[in-house]
Amino acid sequence: MSNYKINTKCVQSGYTPGNGQPRQIPIIQSTTFKYATSEDMGKLFDLEASGYFYTRLQNPTNDMVAAKICDMEGGTAAMLTSSGQAANFYAVFNIANCGDHVVASSTIYGGTYNLFHVTMRKMGIDFTFVSPDCSREELDAAFRPNTKAVFGETIANPALTVLDIEKFAAAAHAHGVPLIVDNTFATPVNCRPFEWGCDIVTHSTTKYMDGHGAGVGGCIVDSGRFDWMAYADRFPGLTTPDDSYHGITYAEKFGQGGAFITKCTAQLMRDFGSIQSPQNAFLLNLGLESLHVRMPRHCENGLAVAEFLKNHPKISFVTYPGLEGDKYYELARKYMPNGTCGVVSFGFQGGRTAAEAFMKHLKLAAIETHVADARTCCLHPASATHRQMNDQELAAAGITPDLVRLSCGIEDAGDLIADIAQALEQI
């Protein structure tokens, strides 16, 4: 399907039924798979044959959906995970181990920041967080001899900063490491980071891709462009024999296009087991089939709400990269000319108290931890997703105590604005 447009890929990629086969992807709700001989199964365990033996590693339903997302992003291999958090953990841990270092944007999602700053530091991996607005010189200064990757988000959640993908990719490649980009908010409908130099893309498929709050999930996609063997000493996990698979060297056996995902599946999924359920993968595929239809409406509603809030006397600031005059408007036009996302962040003249009061008076928008859904929802990040951060860390992440994140769904824009207006009147 590589020659088709993104709209067609959303609907058709990943699964082509044969004569008399199900038109919709089948849900293979089975933990295990039967083989005629031990020799047949042994080939799977030795990575000498393709196939399935236990759903903790791979499942046909999951692989069909991963193949669709891979095609949408323009990658060479992909895998589903149980959540976006698992996808980000696997993507980094697949190449960075105890004693290694990673450079990351400071404005990333709070859960990811906590994963990096707290949990993975306990595993011996150090992180340096840099502003997405840093100069190339400041970015270069963050690298160390043991740096293994650079990480950022296309559109940061909830700061809505836009990553200068080309700048970060150029710095990463100059230091011989890949750039990993979380493309959850933009989706491949609005941005394809591989086209700007990114090497690995991650997604929380729970968000726009699913689109209906039905199933938690994540995805990792490899561009197949990073030459692991060119930096063999830096990435021994991919370029030296794996004793747990009889000495296979992933980069040699599976090449640039398959080494990263094969290792991620064969090692990390084997040992951690963060597999997405086949039922959730099926629901995800239903969401993907309408992603190209929903994303323009999300963006239209987000822009309409941002324009309404921009000059409201009770609002202190509005952040929306698709809004003319926004700090990241020009970067958004470069990387996402057809639209950004449906999420708007804004603050209140009355501070945190006004923000909390505003949310209580909303009728259409529900207070939820969720975001990027068909239904409009909102959140006060300082009290929820970023609650673990201190004031200094919140500031570095682009979050103020009065910031509200409003995720515009696909309802009528006039109704959303009317709901916001009546809530503002009551504070």
Side-chain angles (χ1 to χ4, degrees):
M1 302 291 293
S2 59
N3 294 327
Y4 289 95
K5 303 295 185 184
I6 189 71
N7 296 358
T8 303
K9 291 181 179 183
C10 286
V11 180
Q12 297 275 5
S13 282
Y15 172 64
T16 303
N19 189 39
Q21 291 185 333
R23 186 60 192 90
Q24 182 56 277
I25 65 169
I27 304 172
I28 310 300
Q29 193 65 47
S30 180
T31 60
T32 191
F33 302 82
K34 176 182 177 293
Y35 285 89
T37 70
S38 294
E39 288 78 11
D40 290 337
M41 184 168 284
K43 292 177 182 178
L44 299 175
F45 277 89
D46 289 344
L47 303 182
E48 294 295 334
S50 60
Y52 304 91
F53 56 86
Y54 200 55
T55 285
R56 190 180 78 227
L57 280 86
Q58 285 180 287
N59 178 281
T61 306
N62 292 20
D63 283 355
M64 293 173 198
V65 182
K68 173 177 282 191
I69 297 173
C70 185
D71 195 22
M72 291 165 61
E73 285 286 8
T76 57
M79 64 186 291
L80 297 188
T81 61
S82 60
S83 67
Q85 193 80 323
N88 285 334
F89 170 64
Y90 279 17
V92 173
F93 195 63
N94 202 36
I95 51 178
N97 303 139
C98 182
D100 290 335
H101 172 256
V102 175
V103 176
S105 170
S106 62
T107 59
I108 56 176
Y109 166 61
T112 309
Y113 178 88
N114 194 60
L115 169 68
F116 292 168
H117 182 62
V118 179
T119 303
M120 294 188 75
R121 274 206 165 116
K122 292 178 182 177
M123 301 170 74
I125 303 172
D126 199 13
F127 289 81
T128 296
F129 296 93
V130 298
S131 167
D133 305 327
C134 67
S135 67
R136 174 60 192 272
E137 292 71 25
E138 291 170 327
L139 183 53
D140 284 331
F143 286 83
R144 303 175 188 173
N146 61 337
T147 300
K148 296 298 179 71
V150 179
F151 183 93
E153 294 175 351
T154 314
I155 305 174
N157 174 17
L160 301 181
T161 58
V162 175
L163 190 73
D164 190 342
I165 301 173
E166 284 192 315
K167 177 179 74 176
F168 274 74
H173 297 159
H175 293 271
V177 301
L179 172 63
I180 304 170
V181 172
D182 184 329
N183 196 31
T184 295
F185 268 19
T187 82
V189 171
N190 285 339
C191 183
R192 285 158 52 100
F194 293 156
E195 296 177 358
W196 302 99
C198 166
D199 301 290
I200 297 157
V201 158
T202 62
H203 286 279
S204 171
T205 62
T206 316
K207 309 305 189 297
Y208 286 122
M209 284 186 164
D210 173 281
H212 302 85
V216 175
C219 186
I220 308 171
V221 186
D222 183 14
S223 69
R225 296 174 184 168
F226 192 84
D227 188 352
W228 307 106
M229 292 303 294
Y231 306 96
D233 292 342
R234 186 168 291 144
F235 302 103
L238 286 159
T239 61
T240 60
D242 179 0
D243 292 337
S244 67
Y245 283 103
H246 305 291
I248 283 176
T249 299
Y250 295 99
E252 291 179 352
K253 185 171 182 61
F254 301 102
Q256 284 183 209
F260 185 88
I261 294 297
T262 302
K263 178 181 179 293
C264 206
T265 302
Q267 285 187 354
L268 302 190
M269 195 63 82
R270 175 196 64 190
D271 294 341
F272 292 100
S274 300
I275 194 73
Q276 188 170 148
S277 76
Q279 179 68 55
N280 277 10
F282 176 83
L283 295 173
L284 168 58
N285 188 63
L286 293 180
L288 290 171
E289 289 179 353
S290 65
L291 182 63
H292 62 295
V293 180
R294 290 183 284 108
M295 284 307 294
R297 174 58 67 88
H298 284 294
C299 295
E300 291 168 10
N301 285 355
L303 180 58
V305 166
E307 289 176 337
F308 169 76
L309 291 169
K310 184 178 181 181
N311 298 313
H312 197 284
K314 293 184 179 180
I315 299 299
S316 59
F317 70 89
V318 177
T319 302
Y320 183 72
L323 182 66
E324 192 168 357
D326 185 89
K327 180 179 180 180
Y328 296 97
Y329 179 72
E330 292 303 328
L331 267 183
R333 287 185 64 191
K334 173 182 177 179
Y335 293 118
M336 293 160 275
N338 297 322
T340 55
C341 65
V343 182
V344 183
S345 293
F346 51 97
F348 293 78
Q349 297 289 359
R352 181 170 187 156
T353 301
E356 293 174 340
F358 164 79
M359 292 173 65
K360 292 177 182 177
H361 292 296
L362 289 169
K363 297 177 180 178
L364 272 179
I367 299 175
E368 300 176 12
T369 310
H370 198 34
V371 68
D373 190 87
R375 294 165 290 264
T376 295
C377 53
C378 65
L379 191 74
H380 182 239
S383 299
T385 54
H386 292 66
R387 191 181 186 93
Q388 78 280 2
M389 292 183 174
N390 59 37
D391 289 347
Q392 183 178 359
E393 291 168 340
L394 284 171
I399 298 166
T400 57
D402 63 328
L403 184 146
V404 165
R405 181 190 71 187
L406 184 75
S407 174
C408 299
I410 57 175
E411 304 95 340
D412 183 84
D415 289 338
L416 293 181
I417 291 171
D419 186 36
I420 294 168
Q422 66 81 26
L424 285 169
E425 288 175 4
Q426 300 184 64
I427 63 172

